[in-house]
Amino acid sequence: MYNQTIVVLDFGGQYKELIARRVRENKVYSVIKPGNISLGELKKLNPIGLVLTGGPDSVYKEDSPKCDPELFNLGIPVLGICYGVQLMAYSCGGVVSPCGVSEYGKTEVDVDLKCLLFKGLEPRQTGLMSHTDQISVLPEGFVCVGKTVNCPNAAIMDPEKKLYGVQFHPEVESTPNGREMIKNFLYEICGADGDYDMKDYEERMIMEIRSQVGKEPVILGLSGGVDSSVCAALLEKAIPGQLYCIFVDHGLMRKNEGDEVEAAFKGRNVNFIRVDARERFLSKLKGVTEPEKKRRIIGEEFVRVFEDEAKKLGEIRFLAQGTIYPDVIESGGNNSATIKSHHNVGGLPENMCFTELVEPLRGLFKDEVRALGVQMGLPRKFVNRQPFPGPGLAVRIIGEITFEKLELLREADAIFREEMDRSRCKADQYFAVLTDTRSVGVMGDFRTYGYTVVLRAVRTNDFMTCEYAPLSHKLLGRISLKIVNSVKGITRVVYDVTGKPPATVEWE
């Protein structure tokens, strides 16, 4: 099952998994390894190319992450991105220094079309910049092939050694032709054949699951969302008859969702167990307002519920989860900053009775998970459902979680989603958030004092970055009117027009 491989070397950037995904999109297999990997380990992987990620450090500091400088003399093509290109220049004898003017956000870049990275593109490109350092002196053998108003070496290359680098981020949506640049690196510079697809991934994971689990039973926390559902299908195929799907009804789900999940899985060849834990979760969350604390309480309680159910089934060591790449990134690890903990990553308690985790989707992004689900025979309508956070509505209610607030949000969210579906507006995710802010209103001749609801709709392909969906005022007005007229206790509706970054898709 050997595929040509690109190795992504991690120097602490938030986008390392996104880079790996962009490579796989182009039918080239990718793996992520620490930036300080030994040359011996690297050679064993036999990569056709290397990508050096971004990172938050300055390369000229003593404690900043480094790679073996001999990496650039192996004859393997290298693409350095942001910190990665600075590290390449610094390691090869160039000078990196603080910027006179730092660059953040979308920036115009003038590129040299003689560089293979920019083959087939226009001489002026837009790139997402995020840097406070820059390459001030190029190493011997390198030439500048891209510049901005404030960054004289925004793209560089040493074609003899097949070393290329860009100061901007080609892997994100905000760099419109970034995918083409990555494709050029893979095919024009690395000589890729394009021999990898999702069928390969499915076969690899089935083999890994069987190798890890053997004949032992596995418990899967089934939320009914895309990730856990595809995980269930994969496990069902890999270890038929060994899977127990436990659906925890924690009372934090969308309107009617618990019954819908049960109906969807009742006919499948899995051991489906529904646990009513609504009172249990609400009591644990009473008085809690801090978002990270909510997530950790919910994460621990999930595992405790699994443990209680596992005891009824006998001794079970394996806990399966639908963890995907964005969960891992935002929960931090290695040199990465923690954005927020996910209940199935950073929120697991240390003293749980399960001794091993099974996470076959940990290497995939959301669109890849959907493609795998369709490939495995799950209905398109089901796998294309909107993502829903593991902690559920608990992270869409600001402040303390109460039964009253949950009911208000469930109704408002259902109205918003229903109207969005009718309108056929182009948005990849949309939901309502109940704030902890109350404001005065008037209905008829009477004063009201109710909660403010925020509507959130975004467009994105990867959920690593997003832009708000520009909904029409007419649609927003209709939704607002319906919510305040139908949901007693909500008196004001507002629309969130913040992208990611600087915000996240969810509010907490």
Side-chain angles (χ1 to χ4, degrees):
M1 292 182 66
Y2 173 77
N3 297 101
Q4 288 185 322
T5 300
I6 292 290
V7 175
V8 178
L9 296 181
D10 172 26
F11 295 98
Q14 290 291 332
Y15 298 142
K16 58 182 176 291
E17 284 85 0
L18 183 52
I19 296 169
R21 173 179 168 272
R22 293 295 185 225
V23 173
R24 293 194 301 268
E25 276 180 357
N26 283 290
K27 298 186 177 181
V28 181
Y29 183 60
S30 62
V31 293
I32 299 170
K33 296 294 179 180
N36 62 356
I37 187 173
S38 70
L39 294 186
E41 289 179 84
L42 188 62
K43 288 175 183 177
K44 286 179 185 177
L45 296 170
N46 194 26
I48 63 168
L50 309 174
V51 180
L52 279 54
T53 76
D57 295 280
S58 293
V59 296
Y60 44 79
K61 291 185 178 178
E62 267 190 46
D63 58 350
S64 63
K66 303 287 196 306
C67 64
D68 189 326
E70 282 303 306
L71 178 150
F72 302 106
N73 295 318
L74 295 176
I76 302 171
V78 179
L79 172 62
I81 296 174
C82 197
Y83 180 89
V85 69
Q86 294 173 10
L87 180 60
M88 178 193 296
Y90 182 82
S91 302
C92 293
V95 178
V96 177
S97 55
C99 296
V101 178
S102 299
E103 291 179 311
Y104 292 98
K106 293 181 180 180
T107 306
E108 295 301 306
V109 186
D110 292 320
V111 301
D112 186 340
L113 300 184
K114 292 193 293 290
C115 174
L116 288 175
L117 280 180
F118 310 121
K119 183 179 178 180
L121 303 179
E122 296 297 319
R124 173 156 287 193
Q125 295 295 314
T126 298
L128 181 72
M129 289 285 192
S130 180
H131 67 108
T132 56
D133 292 331
Q134 65 180 12
I135 301 165
S136 49
V137 178
L138 289 175
E140 185 179 347
F142 280 81
V143 294
C144 171
V145 289
K147 61 183 179 179
T148 72
V149 171
N150 297 305
C151 183
N153 293 302
I156 65 173
M157 72 173 182
D158 180 343
E160 291 298 316
K161 290 187 175 181
K162 298 183 180 179
L163 304 180
Y164 296 80
V166 291
Q167 185 61 67
F168 53 88
H169 288 273
E171 70 273 24
V172 300
E173 293 290 316
S174 298
T175 301
N177 291 317
R179 294 189 192 192
E180 197 63 32
M181 297 173 197
I182 292 174
K183 183 178 181 181
N184 282 339
F185 175 69
L186 298 174
Y187 287 91
E188 300 294 332
I189 297 168
C190 298
D193 294 330
D195 61 358
Y196 171 73
D197 59 22
M198 287 308 297
K199 193 64 182 175
D200 281 345
Y201 191 89
E202 179 185 334
E203 291 171 3
R204 286 172 192 269
M205 287 304 103
I206 287 174
M207 289 175 63
E208 286 188 20
I209 292 165
R210 288 172 179 168
S211 174
Q212 180 185 5
V213 172
K215 298 296 183 182
E216 293 191 46
V218 178
I219 285 181
L220 168 68
L222 182 64
S223 68
V226 176
D227 303 335
S228 64
S229 299
V230 174
C231 184
L234 191 56
L235 287 163
E236 183 185 1
K237 185 171 181 179
I239 50 171
Q242 297 170 233
L243 179 63
Y244 291 85
C245 292
I246 298 178
F247 168 52
V248 179
D249 187 352
H250 49 29
L252 305 171
M253 304 189 75
R254 292 168 287 200
K255 188 175 181 180
N256 300 326
E257 198 160 31
D259 294 336
E260 291 171 2
V261 171
E262 184 169 5
F265 282 89
K266 225 170 187 179
R268 296 189 66 86
N269 186 24
V270 295
N271 302 297
F272 183 87
I273 301 168
R274 181 173 180 174
V275 183
D276 186 350
R278 289 173 291 184
E279 290 296 328
R280 182 170 173 170
F281 276 81
L282 275 178
S283 64
K284 290 282 185 180
L285 290 166
K286 188 175 182 180
V288 178
T289 60
E290 205 276 314
E292 279 296 284
K293 191 172 181 182
K294 287 181 189 177
R295 288 177 176 272
R296 294 190 179 277
I297 287 172
I298 292 166
E300 177 161 353
E301 204 58 25
F302 258 103
V303 176
R304 298 309 174 211
V305 172
F306 293 148
E307 287 179 328
D308 291 345
E309 293 304 314
K311 288 171 186 174
K312 301 174 187 176
L313 299 170
E315 187 176 338
I316 296 182
R317 295 193 301 125
F318 292 97
L319 171 64
Q321 300 186 127
T323 310
I324 65 172
Y325 258 160
D327 300 340
V328 178
I329 302 165
E330 292 188 336
S331 292
N334 297 326
N335 298 310
S336 301
T338 298
I339 307 302
K340 58 189 177 186
S341 295
H342 289 259
H343 81 280
N344 54 349
V345 182
L348 289 173
E350 293 180 4
N351 60 335
M352 61 184 186
C353 72
F354 306 105
T355 57
E356 289 198 49
L357 292 177
V358 182
E359 298 177 311
L361 307 182
R362 193 180 180 91
L364 300 181
F365 278 77
K366 183 67 71 174
D367 62 326
E368 294 177 304
V369 174
R370 295 187 199 279
L372 179 60
V374 171
Q375 179 175 289
M376 299 191 68
L378 292 175
R380 286 185 180 273
K381 184 177 180 181
F382 192 81
V383 298
N384 287 329
R385 293 175 69 190
Q386 290 189 51
F388 189 58
L393 298 182
V395 291
R396 292 181 180 174
I397 293 176
I398 310 303
E400 184 181 7
I401 311 299
T402 66
F403 179 77
E404 175 203 9
K405 286 183 176 181
L406 284 165
E407 288 299 293
L408 290 176
L409 181 55
R410 266 192 273 267
E411 293 299 325
D413 180 71
I415 290 170
F416 181 36
R417 289 187 292 117
E418 183 181 322
E419 290 297 320
M420 284 291 289
D421 291 343
R422 285 179 182 171
S423 72
R424 297 184 179 179
C425 285
K426 291 183 179 179
D428 297 294
Q429 187 174 5
Y430 39 92
F431 55 88
V433 175
L434 186 70
T435 72
D436 206 25
T437 300
R438 295 194 183 201
S439 60
V440 175
V442 58
M443 286 191 175
D445 295 324
F446 296 96
R447 176 186 183 273
T448 59
Y449 190 63
Y451 287 101
T452 298
V453 158
V454 177
L455 305 181
R456 179 84 160 136
V458 300
R459 291 179 177 176
T460 178
N461 286 328
D462 49 45
F463 292 89
M464 291 302 299
T465 60
C466 76
E467 295 179 353
Y468 78 90
L471 305 185
S472 71
H473 288 281
K474 184 178 180 181
L475 174 60
L476 288 170
R478 184 168 71 245
I479 294 168
S480 173
L481 188 63
K482 193 166 184 179
I483 288 174
V484 295
N485 283 343
S486 305
V487 187
K488 189 176 180 181
I490 295 176
T491 56
R492 197 174 296 268
V493 177
V494 298
Y495 188 54
D496 181 354
V497 295
T498 319
K500 176 183 180 179
T504 57
V505 176
E506 299 287 344
W507 268 47
E508 288 194 342

